[in-house]
Amino acid sequence: MTRFTSQELEAARDRLVPDVVADGLHVLFCGINPGLMTAATGHHFARPGNRFWPVLHLSGFTPRLLKPSEQQELLSYGLGITNVVARASARADELSAEEYREGGRLLAEKVSRLKPRWLAVVGVTAYRAAFDDRKAKVGPQERRIGETRVWVLPNPSGLNAHWTAATMAEEFARLRVAAGDG
């Protein structure tokens, strides 16, 4: 993996990272916003400590462990990636409440257009802020966006010590079964 200097990472601040999407996906995974490593590489969940790619594999969504640089392969499995907030930052706490709300509005428009079977938001705090649902918990939600069902998954960031890769994989696998892929 390419190593970036702190100046190179800082230069990636506010950069946009293209979505990995197509119409009619089984699951559209939605991160909070791109981190600086993701923005520098152009690949979602690129920070080495992020557990998204290992958990995706452990849960059975992918037949092998994909590298962030192989993100386009997700489309062949009926999977995609987007973010609540498009701009890159070093930490999610740099985002304003208004950015989350606007991100939720834009995400709902995107989901209405793409019509995935499931929207899976990785991070309950981001989901609560984007959709003004203070009581949301990890798991399936009552909310639908058109015909799209919504599931909140644990945040795969290495900073989320409440969940191990194994317990995250169990929750991701619950979604995989509900999405009809297992």
Side-chain angles (χ1 to χ4, degrees), residues 51-52 54-61 122 138-139 151-176:
R51 299 170 289 183
F52 177 79
V55 166
L56 208 60
H57 174 60
L58 287 170
S59 66
F61 270 113
V122 292
V138 168
W151 196 294
V152 175
L153 292 168
N155 185 336
S157 165
L159 300 175
N160 184 1
H162 297 291
W163 291 79
T164 65
T167 58
M168 271 189 242
E170 289 172 8
E171 189 62 29
F172 275 56
R174 285 181 59 218
L175 168 58
R176 181 180 50 78

Side-chain angles (χ1 to χ4, degrees), residues 2-12 36-37 40:
T2 307
R3 295 184 70 72
F4 293 94
T5 66
S6 57
Q7 293 85 1
E8 289 170 323
L9 289 174
E10 191 55 39
L36 298 182
M37 181 70 73

Side-chain angles (χ1 to χ4, degrees), residues 67-173:
K67 298 179 185 121
S69 62
E70 298 174 302
Q71 65 188 14
Q72 291 298 324
E73 192 173 318
L74 288 176
L75 296 174
S76 69
Y77 306 122
L79 308 174
I81 304 176
T82 190
N83 287 288
V84 173
V85 176
R87 78 171 180 93
S89 67
R91 296 179 321 277
D93 66 5
E94 295 175 25
L95 304 175
S96 70
E98 180 52 39
E99 282 180 290
Y100 277 111
R101 281 190 298 276
E102 178 66 4
R105 187 186 69 73
L106 294 172
L107 177 59
E109 287 178 4
K110 186 179 300 182
V111 167
S112 293
R113 189 175 64 253
L114 295 172
K115 297 178 175 45
R117 198 177 301 163
W118 286 89
L119 171 67
V121 179
V122 292
V124 69
T125 303
Y127 176 81
R128 289 173 179 164
F131 292 101
D132 196 31
D133 185 349
R134 302 288 173 242
K135 295 181 180 174
K137 294 184 177 7
V138 168
Q141 306 301 304
E142 289 185 26
R143 172 186 311 272
R144 284 182 183 251
I145 301 171
E147 293 300 308
T148 300
R149 306 252 346 253
V150 179
W151 196 294
V152 175
L153 292 168
N155 185 336
S157 165
L159 300 175
N160 184 1
H162 297 291
W163 291 79
T164 65
T167 58
M168 271 189 242
E170 289 172 8
E171 189 62 29
F172 275 56

